[in-house]
Amino acid sequence: MRELRRKLFKGTDDEDAHEHVRRVLEIANLFHFPGVTHDAVMLRVFPIILKGPALRWINRLSAGSITTWDLLEKAFIRKYCPPFKTAKKLEMIRNFKQEMNETLYCAWERYNDLLFKCSHHDLNYQQKVHLFYTGLDIPTRRVLNSKGFIPLMTLTQDLMSIQVMAEHSHNWYDDATIRERINDSPNNVDTKKPKENIHAIQASSRIVKGHI
């Protein structure tokens, strides 16, 4: 209970209802109480980890209207993750663009964060890879294509290629060092992308050929 109550849900716009449910289930599923059903546990536990407007909402539910965890979860999601919020998150995923001076690793991490925050996006793996790839700038796409055209690879191959190059980019880069070099350069020219691309190409040459 102490772990559950470390992060209470209030129902503000910046909170993720799906993430909150997932967190509660991860903790609650670690324990089993003989003779007590999962429904009974969740119906008892869930109200305790709400506060403010969210707690008032659940207390105002009609008596006897919620008798199972499934009903409570659906009511909670309808209340705090209505269709317009889902549509907004999906729009952010579909319109994903690599930011200026953003490394491949940072872009990949940010993109996966968007997917995580919208776990009900209903996008298959091929669509997810396509949206990420098309959102990258041209130099980064060229790097990813250096050992094979990403859109023509199998799912396993393109994911491996992206992950290997992204990790290599991360291992070779220290953002603070790069910013310092850029600021100290005579013309304040951004040298981050070219160097990242060189290291990523070197990484791609070390990917097992059987996977590309």
Side-chain angles (χ1 to χ4, degrees), residues 15-131:
E15 292 177 299
D16 190 319
H18 286 275
E19 182 180 353
H20 183 71
V21 169
R22 183 165 49 243
R23 172 179 172 270
V24 173
L25 287 173
E26 285 177 353
I27 297 174
N29 288 338
L30 294 174
F31 303 95
H32 174 68
F33 304 96
V36 182
T37 66
H38 179 68
D39 280 346
V41 171
M42 294 305 296
L43 290 175
R44 178 74 175 181
V45 166
F46 201 73
I48 298 174
I49 54 176
L50 304 178
K51 65 183 290 187
L55 181 58
R56 291 194 294 272
W57 165 77
I58 201 169
N59 286 336
R60 288 197 301 265
L61 291 176
S62 301
S65 62
I66 302 295
T67 57
T68 66
W69 162 240
D70 183 62
L71 290 174
L72 178 56
E73 180 183 11
K74 288 179 179 178
F76 178 74
I77 295 299
R78 280 197 306 270
K79 174 66 177 178
Y80 292 106
C81 193
F84 82 88
K85 280 192 174 182
T86 299
K88 185 175 181 180
K89 291 179 181 179
L90 280 172
E91 183 180 6
M92 293 178 65
I93 294 172
R94 295 185 184 279
N95 294 331
F96 174 82
K97 296 293 180 185
Q98 184 177 11
E99 296 177 352
M100 185 178 295
N101 300 330
E102 186 176 39
T103 65
L104 173 60
Y105 174 81
C106 290
W108 182 237
E109 288 293 297
R110 183 165 61 85
Y111 181 71
N112 280 289
D113 282 343
L114 292 176
L115 293 174
F116 181 78
K117 291 177 180 178
C118 188
S119 57
H120 47 299
H121 49 64
D122 291 332
L123 297 171
N124 60 39
Y125 282 105
Q126 187 175 16
Q127 291 171 318
K128 288 189 286 187
V129 170
H130 173 75
L131 290 171

Side-chain angles (χ1 to χ4, degrees), residues 93-185:
I93 294 172
R94 295 185 184 279
N95 294 331
F96 174 82
K97 296 293 180 185
Q98 184 177 11
E99 296 177 352
M100 185 178 295
N101 300 330
E102 186 176 39
T103 65
L104 173 60
Y105 174 81
C106 290
W108 182 237
E109 288 293 297
R110 183 165 61 85
Y111 181 71
N112 280 289
D113 282 343
L114 292 176
L115 293 174
F116 181 78
K117 291 177 180 178
C118 188
S119 57
H120 47 299
H121 49 64
D122 291 332
L123 297 171
N124 60 39
Y125 282 105
Q126 187 175 16
Q127 291 171 318
K128 288 189 286 187
V129 170
H130 173 75
L131 290 171
F132 175 72
Y133 176 81
T134 56
L136 296 174
D137 59 29
I138 293 177
T140 304
R141 281 191 234 169
R142 287 174 179 165
V143 169
L144 288 179
N145 292 334
S146 61
K147 281 296 181 178
F149 189 44
I150 292 290
L152 297 183
M153 289 182 176
T154 66
L155 175 61
T156 301
Q157 291 169 345
D158 56 31
L159 282 177
M160 174 174 286
S161 182
I162 293 172
Q163 289 170 354
V164 167
M165 292 190 189
E167 285 298 326
H168 193 76
S169 165
H170 179 56
N171 292 336
W172 278 88
Y173 272 104
D174 179 273
D175 286 342
T177 302
I178 294 296
R179 284 194 296 271
E180 182 179 344
R181 289 177 182 173
I182 293 171
N183 293 332
D184 290 342
S185 62

